Amino acid sequence: MTPELLDRALIEEAAKKSGLVWVRAAGAPAARALWHVWHEGAVCLVGDGPGEQPLTGLADGGTAEVTVRSKDKGGRLVTFPATVSEPAAGSPEWEATVAELKGKRLNAPDGEEMPGRWARECRVLRLVPAGPTAPAPEGSLAAPPVPSPATTRRPIPAGLPKLLAKRREKRRRKEDLKK
């Protein structure tokens, strides 16, 4: 098997099993978590409408970087470049993509009317893999926490040890009475 076929198989298998991908549009400062479905060789998304996820920066003909996470552990599995395409509403490609998305959309307010609303008010996008997978990053990609005066560690109140000792003593007495 060639490296291209192995990359393609890894991308497809990871995207099929995960319901969430991280997408960074070309020129965007950070990636955004988006729910998706894998359909006919592409990550398919719906958004930019009322009650739907934002697809900021993703434009027809543009590029994006897609990172697929593990469904069970949440860690990064694979990152790949993708080309963005927006099928025309009502086209056979759009209909097939929407049929897949509709089956995976959770908590939709309008049920069977959803495809019509998507055609009127939303964008349906396909992110097609376009190149080899990115190598695994060196070190952690976690962002440092934002500075804050909030804290979770404080000294315990002076009276707490006595209070806890009294509770233990009461429990011990109850257990002794039961015997």
Side-chain angles (χ1 to χ4, degrees), residues 35-37 44-55 86-91 93-125:
W35 73 271
H36 77 287
V37 296
C44 301
L45 310 166
V46 63
D48 281 351
E52 301 295 343
Q53 61 194 352
L55 301 176
E86 185 172 356
S91 69
E93 184 182 31
W94 187 89
E95 294 289 341
T97 302
V98 165
E100 288 295 315
L101 286 164
K102 181 182 173 196
K104 299 291 184 183
R105 174 65 163 90
L106 300 176
N107 303 323
D110 48 1
E112 293 301 315
E113 302 302 317
M114 196 168 26
R117 178 173 57 86
W118 286 351
R120 289 186 312 275
E121 303 171 359
C122 298
R123 295 171 52 214
V124 173
L125 300 178

